[in-house]
Amino acid sequence: MCFFRRAAVLLGGLLLYSQPAAAQAKKPAAELPLKYTGKPTSPDITAADLMTRLYIFADDSMMGREVGTIYNDKGTAYIEREVRRIGLVPGGDNGTYFQNLPLFTLYADSASTLSTGDKTFAFGSEFLPIGLGERRVTLDGKAVVYGGSIGDSTTWASASDMEGKIVMLSPAGLSMQSFRMIRSPSSRFAKAAVVLVSYLDQLPARNRPFFLRSTAYMPDNPAAGVPMALVSNSIASQLFSAPDSLRAGAAGKPLRGTIVLHQVQAPGRNVVAILPGSDAQLKGQYVAIGAHNDHIGFNQRPVDHDSIRAFNAVARPQGEDSPRPASLTPEQGARLRKMLDSLRALHPARTDSIYNGADDDGSGSMSVLEIAESFANSSARPKRSIVFVWHAGEEKGLWGAEYFTDHPTVPRDSIVAQLNMDMVGRGAASDVTGEDKAGALLYGGPGYLQIVGSRRLSTELGDLIETVNAREKLGFKFDYGMDANGHQQNIYCRSDHYEYARYGIPIAFLTTGGHSDYHQVTDEPQYMDYAHMAEVARLVRASATAIANLDHRIVVNQPKPDPKGRCVQ
């Protein structure tokens, strides 16, 4: 699930969470193995098949499947082999199962130079160009002007004052939104030679690699926008005699140098496969079933796996969605030591730096694959076609789902509904699965499943899923607590289904919710509940079949959002 950090204010000390007493007292059970090789998968949806698949897809060798890396390609290659093996029809580009995304690795060349007078500035520590397209900008002979504060457009110099010049901005009000505004091809800065922002001294060292080299999703004009660089306060002082009292348009000292930026195609692709429908009149319509194939990769700072797992269970029960505590209470410290002792009794310590993404979203991806195999081996095919889409780049901002719905490989208006699975492998009574709108923590349990968005466009779709659950005697207890309008965790906007919903396609987002391993190195296959995951997959298969066999399209009876607008839950 894509993570957009929620604002948190801690008043009067540490914000603490606690699990139910029964969960705290529970002794650790025997663990599933760290490594596992299962038998070949079968036509039925089974826990054994899902376990076999997930141990492959979320293995350490996949290195966290981050989009923009070869490891994401490695994960999608596994999915492609499987859909080809089971005989689905290619639904990607040019007769393949892949839809390549317009992803680019952007980076600055260390051969870039900046100097003024007899002072030469150091690349990386005193100036840091921000990659945008393949270009070389020579600055010699270009005038320097002060452009204002980056976050306050009322302070900006006029477009004519900045055209063809080196523009220096102060960092007041800086945000990612202000960066996007500055770099927009239609901005006031569009005809500047380069924009410098005196922010480098404030940039944390851990964030500098992102600016040195990053992956960008650029579906429109990859090279559009003005080049930018972060610079130190010393450069600002060298260029302007009184940088703290400048007026927009003020002239600075000459600056010499060359900014060299590079852009190369980056790995990242959706996998798209189709099960043709059985009805000649309806097979041109599609029920979409999806999940995301990427996760967040790995880091260079190995940690003790069990220590992190125990700490998060005690102090961060929603993983990355919980605030990071400054310290633990004595009671929490005691619980942490007890839990860690129990884990040490089960297995030796090990270091870990890979975010395997077993639940997020290995569980959804492998469930979609298991559903696809079940459909492909069934003699009773649904009337409408099924399009299976494994989206890339969800963790970066729903990139793959946005691209697929903007550039669909089947007619967009032929998609009658979309069922999205993201994190469907947990939901135990000890898992904090989220919180209600009032902030009270939610917990899993037998038959637990969250549903989000199922009635936001079509009440018929939400009712249909409830009916399928009852008819098939699946026994799910649906939790709609995270679907409330204005919910602070904004789950409706945080996974791939929304990119379909923005075009008025009815969606249902099914998830077993969060837990303390969310976006942590501890999200691994040995912690999944495979029997419960199989039940979720059966519900999705049965729901898709019911939608595909209706004598009418799912009725949209609620207002549609603006496809280009901001998602609002």
Side-chain angles (χ1 to χ4, degrees), residues 5-89:
R5 186 175 299 279
R6 295 174 295 132
V9 179
L10 308 188
L11 299 177
L14 183 65
L15 178 61
L16 301 179
Y17 296 101
S18 61
Q19 294 181 350
Q24 294 180 31
K26 187 177 179 181
K27 294 181 180 179
E31 293 182 326
L32 292 174
L34 181 61
K35 298 286 184 180
Y36 172 76
T37 302
K39 296 178 181 178
T41 58
S42 65
D44 297 325
I45 296 173
T46 70
D49 284 359
L50 288 165
M51 186 170 174
T52 293
R53 294 189 185 285
L54 192 56
Y55 268 87
I56 294 170
F57 193 64
D59 186 70
D60 280 355
S61 63
M62 296 289 184
M63 297 297 289
R65 305 187 309 276
E66 184 176 10
V67 75
T69 72
I70 60 172
Y71 304 109
N72 183 256
D73 275 3
K74 187 173 182 178
T76 55
Y78 168 68
I79 297 171
E80 191 270 349
R81 287 196 302 272
E82 286 295 283
V83 295
R84 180 158 32 88
R85 177 183 66 81
I86 63 181
L88 296 183
V89 174

Side-chain angles (χ1 to χ4, degrees), residues 24-28 310 314 332-344:
Q24 294 180 31
K26 187 177 179 181
K27 294 181 180 179
V314 169
Q332 285 182 312
R335 284 175 54 206
L336 175 60
R337 288 189 293 273
K338 184 175 181 180
M339 188 176 297
L340 192 54
D341 287 344
S342 297
L343 292 170
R344 290 285 185 263

Side-chain angles (χ1 to χ4, degrees), residues 351-424:
T351 56
D352 198 353
S353 62
I354 299 172
Y355 295 85
N356 301 75
D359 193 27
D360 185 17
D361 186 27
S363 62
S365 286
M366 297 302 96
S367 294
V368 174
L369 193 51
E370 187 75 350
I371 293 167
E373 184 170 25
S374 173
F375 269 124
N377 284 280
S378 174
S379 57
R381 293 199 172 186
K383 295 179 180 179
R384 290 177 175 84
S385 299
I386 310 292
V387 57
F388 302 93
V389 189
W390 292 264
H391 309 97
E394 189 266 2
E395 299 289 2
K396 301 291 189 180
L398 318 186
W399 289 350
E402 177 185 324
Y403 191 73
F404 180 78
T405 52
D406 281 346
H407 304 87
T409 60
V410 300
R412 186 168 50 235
D413 61 3
S414 71
I415 302 174
V416 301
Q418 198 264 350
L419 305 176
N420 179 40
M421 287 183 285
D422 191 349
M423 299 175 64
V424 293

